[in-house]
Amino acid sequence: MWLYVGLRDDPRSVGLPELPGTHTGKSDAKGGKTPSRGKFLKAMVWTNRWIWTLCIANIFVYVMRMGILDWGPKFLTEARNMSIEDAAWSVGAFEIFAIIGTIFAGWATDHIFHGKAHRMCFVCMALAVVFMGIFIMFPGLPIIVSTLFLAMAGFFIYGPQALIGIASANHATKEASATANGLAGIFGYFGSFVSAIGIGIVADRWGWNMVFYIIIAVGILGALTFISMWMAPRDGYARSNKFYEEQEAIDGLHEGESHESK
C-alpha cells in the first residue's frame, strides 16, 4: 500500500530532470509519433541477446542459491553429521554473509566495473564456485572453518541474484525494464523449481556429494554464461536511440512515398 501511494514512475513525474545517460530518443519522434509498444519490446527485450543471456544465467544462479539454501540443513545433518543447531547456524551465516555480499556487489559494480553488472556477476559466480568447491572437497575441516567457506559462497552467490534484475532493466531501458525484469524472474523461478525437485532426486539416487558436484557444475555454467557477456555495453540506451532513429527514417520514407502517390 505504501508503494502504491508513494512510488513515482520517473524523475520527470515529480518535476526533476532526466537522469544523465537515460535518454531513449522517444521524445524526438518525428511529429510526435512513436512506434508501437510491441515494436519497442521486440527490439529491446524479445530480440535482445543480452536480455536472454541474463535470463539463462538466472537459471544457474537460482539452482545454485536455492540448492544451498533449501537443502543445506539436510545435507549438513546427514552428510556432515552436524547437529540441527550447528546446521542452522551454518545456514544462518550463509544468509548473513549474503546480505553483506549483495551490498558489496552493488558497490563493486559501480566503482570497479563502472555499472557493468554482468562483469561483477561473473566474478561473483566464479568465486562462489571456488568456495563451494573448497567446502565440498574438504569434508574434514573443523565446523567453524567449513561454515566460513559455506558463508563465503553465500557472500558471492547473492550478488548475481540482485544484479541480474538491475542489468536486465538497464539493457531494456526504463521504458521496458519491468518486462525484462519479469522475464528474468520467470527463468529464475524455473531454476528454483529445478533445484527443489532435481536435488531431492539426485540426493536419493546418488548421494549428497553428487548433489554438490552438480551445484558446482551449475555454477561453472553460470560463470561461463556471464563471461560471454563480458564485452556487452553497460545498458541499452544506445540501442534504444538507434531503434527510434530507424523508426523515424522508416516513417519519413513512408511519408515521402505517400506524397509521391498523391
Side-chain angles (χ1 to χ4, degrees):
M1 182 60 69
W2 173 253
L3 287 174
Y4 181 81
V5 173
L7 193 63
R8 296 296 179 265
D9 185 48
D10 58 27
R12 289 178 300 178
S13 66
V14 291
L16 294 172
E18 196 71 74
L19 290 172
T22 63
H23 180 66
T24 61
K26 183 177 181 179
S27 59
D28 295 336
K30 190 174 181 179
K33 296 179 182 179
T34 58
S36 70
R37 178 72 175 171
K39 287 182 178 179
F40 186 79
L41 288 177
K42 180 181 179 181
M44 299 306 299
V45 179
W46 309 124
T47 61
N48 189 336
R49 63 169 173 157
W50 305 128
I51 297 296
W52 288 105
T53 304
L54 289 166
C55 287
I56 293 169
N58 211 23
I59 296 175
F60 301 131
V61 169
Y62 266 79
V63 169
M64 192 172 189
R65 176 215 165 193
M66 299 308 295
I68 300 169
L69 185 62
D70 288 348
W71 293 95
K74 192 169 181 63
F75 165 78
L76 293 172
T77 54
E78 291 188 1
R80 291 292 172 88
N81 297 316
M82 284 189 184
S83 66
I84 291 293
E85 184 179 4
D86 288 339
W89 277 110
S90 295
V91 176
F94 176 86
E95 289 286 279
I96 292 169
F97 272 62
I99 295 171
I100 302 170
T102 302
I103 296 170
F104 170 77
W107 177 89
T109 296
D110 290 337
H111 292 86
I112 298 176
F113 294 110
H114 309 293
K116 293 186 177 181
H118 51 277
R119 294 189 175 183
M120 187 60 197
C121 286
F122 163 71
V123 172
C124 286
M125 205 70 174
L127 290 174
V129 168
V130 169
F131 283 105
M132 278 304 302
I134 296 172
F135 173 77
I136 195 64
M137 297 297 179
F138 298 96
L141 292 172
I143 289 177
I144 190 169
V145 177
S146 185
T147 297
L148 178 61
F149 284 123
L150 183 63
M152 286 305 298
F155 182 92
F156 288 108
I157 192 58
Y158 273 65
Q161 184 209 349
L163 292 175
I164 282 176
I166 294 170
S168 298
N170 285 342
H171 279 283
T173 76
K174 60 191 177 185
E175 293 180 30
S177 59
T179 302
N181 210 337
L183 183 64
I186 290 171
F187 277 74
Y189 285 118
F190 174 74
S192 294
F193 172 79
V194 170
S195 173
I197 300 298
I199 286 180
I201 294 172
V202 172
D204 280 344
R205 293 188 179 183
W206 296 286
W208 284 109
N209 280 350
M210 180 59 69
V211 166
F212 278 87
Y213 294 147
I214 290 174
I215 287 177
I216 291 169
V218 165
I220 292 171
L221 290 173
L224 291 174
T225 305
F226 283 123
I227 204 171
S228 73
M229 292 187 66
W230 190 263
M231 300 307 296
R234 181 184 66 177
D235 54 49
Y237 287 95
R239 182 187 182 98
S240 172
N241 288 325
K242 182 179 178 181
F243 166 78
Y244 280 113
E245 288 171 2
E246 290 175 350
Q247 290 299 310
E248 185 176 352
I250 292 171
D251 290 341
L253 180 62
H254 288 167
E255 286 183 7
E257 291 175 350
S258 177
H259 287 306
E260 287 179 4
S261 64
K262 289 179 181 179

